[in-house]
Amino acid sequence: MTKTGADYAWFENDFPDIAEAYCFTLVRGLSPAELMSRLEGRPEAPLKGIAAVVDAAFAQYDLEEGDRQLVAMTTAGAWTLLVEPNGYLGVTEDRVLPASAGASWVSHFVNINAVGTFLWAENQVLRLCFDPMFPEDRWGTAPDEFLDVMERIGFHLDEESPETDLSAPAAFALAEHLTGVAITPALLEDTTFTCATVQIR
């Protein structure tokens, strides 16, 4: 059964510190170490729980004056999960596409202004990209492959705006549909994440 945006409504309520600005990326075909190598990451101390990751990410941003950002990784089944508090590396095409060689890459991002991106790439090919708030405007080599799924999940593809905007949680549901990996409160709270810093400008 495909989950919907409503199934991820807990994220904003339970994790407000990261919910206002984040990027979640799932990569199949690269271990955390391999992914960090491709992103030219610098290892940092591991951290347990997303709250510690968020605190460290903002401290790192201030320390580096915005030049580098802290990212957190863990293995989730056959995938590597990369979490960026207040980051956007996972949806930056000129970084993502080279890094996705031989891999599958599914990422979604929201910033503090509610601007978002959902990106799916396979082996350096952009398959699908769109802003979850405006899913009618899609690009990539397979922009319409999951239209039925997107509607079931809760993306509004018609002209009318919904009363309740579930676009951000719907992005989590679509990522789960594409990867089979569910982001859960326990995963975020109980995981000891491998951490690194990555150059962002």
Side-chain angles (χ1 to χ4, degrees), residues 102-147:
S104 300
W105 190 291
V106 176
S107 186
H108 55 102
F109 144 87
V110 169
N111 71 12
I112 199 163
N113 299 315
V115 175
T117 303
F118 188 97
L119 181 150
W120 167 39
E122 295 278 352
N123 191 23
Q124 299 184 292
V125 176
L126 182 66
R127 302 297 307 279
L128 172 65
C129 196
F130 65 96
D131 182 334
M133 284 189 71
F134 305 101
E136 66 278 5
D137 183 17
R138 302 173 304 282
W139 60 98
T141 62
D144 299 335
E145 186 169 339
F146 292 101
L147 280 184

Side-chain angles (χ1 to χ4, degrees), residues 47 50-62 70 85 195:
L47 293 166
I50 199 66
V53 170
V54 171
D55 288 346
F58 279 97
Q60 187 76 35
Y61 188 87
D62 291 341
L70 184 125
C195 295

Side-chain angles (χ1 to χ4, degrees), residues 23-99:
C23 188
F24 277 74
T25 302
L26 285 156
V27 183
R28 185 179 64 197
L30 299 175
S31 68
E34 290 169 330
L35 179 57
M36 271 307 95
S37 175
R38 291 196 181 185
L39 296 176
E40 300 178 346
R42 183 176 70 201
E44 302 289 343
L47 293 166
K48 182 174 182 183
I50 199 66
V53 170
V54 171
D55 288 346
F58 279 97
Q60 187 76 35
Y61 188 87
D62 291 341
L63 184 68
E64 302 276 3
E65 298 183 340
D67 287 339
R68 300 181 70 85
Q69 71 175 38
L70 184 125
V71 300
M73 293 162 291
T74 190
T75 300
W79 297 75
T80 291
L81 171 65
L82 173 73
V83 182
E84 305 171 59
N86 197 35
Y88 53 86
L89 181 64
V91 296
T92 303
E93 290 183 32
D94 61 353
R95 301 288 295 274
V96 166
L97 295 180

